[in-house]
Amino acid sequence: MIEFLQVVLAAIVILGTAATAWSRDPFNKLICLGVLIGGVFPFIVAGGYLDVAVAVALIAPMTTIFVLAITGRDGDGV
């Protein structure tokens, strides 16, 4: 069962990487990066790097907020 889970998570990482590379819209890239991070995160925890896992869990959402603020659309409501 663990091998199957590793294969599924590796597929999620590969799909997230490919989708991030092919996506043109910055907002879609953020969604694809979230998928990528979601696939990588269990491998970080399984490797025993819990301090890195905590850092990734804190840094990833903050960078998403910053990127959304930088690439944000104008406030005209359209």
Side-chain angles (χ1 to χ4, degrees):
M1 181 64 177
I2 298 297
E3 292 83 15
F4 175 73
L5 185 61
Q6 289 176 344
V7 170
V8 169
L9 291 171
I12 289 173
V13 170
I14 292 170
L15 288 174
T17 304
T20 302
W22 287 326
S23 180
R24 298 287 180 201
D25 185 30
F27 295 101
N28 287 341
K29 279 192 181 283
L30 286 176
I31 294 170
C32 297
L33 282 173
V35 170
L36 175 67
I37 291 170
V40 169
F41 196 77
F43 288 115
I44 295 172
V45 173
Y49 300 110
L50 296 180
D51 53 342
V52 176
V54 170
V56 169
L58 294 174
I59 292 171
M62 291 189 325
T63 56
T64 302
I65 292 170
F66 290 135
V67 171
L68 282 173
I70 291 170
T71 62
R73 299 191 171 113
D74 295 332
D76 58 2
V78 177

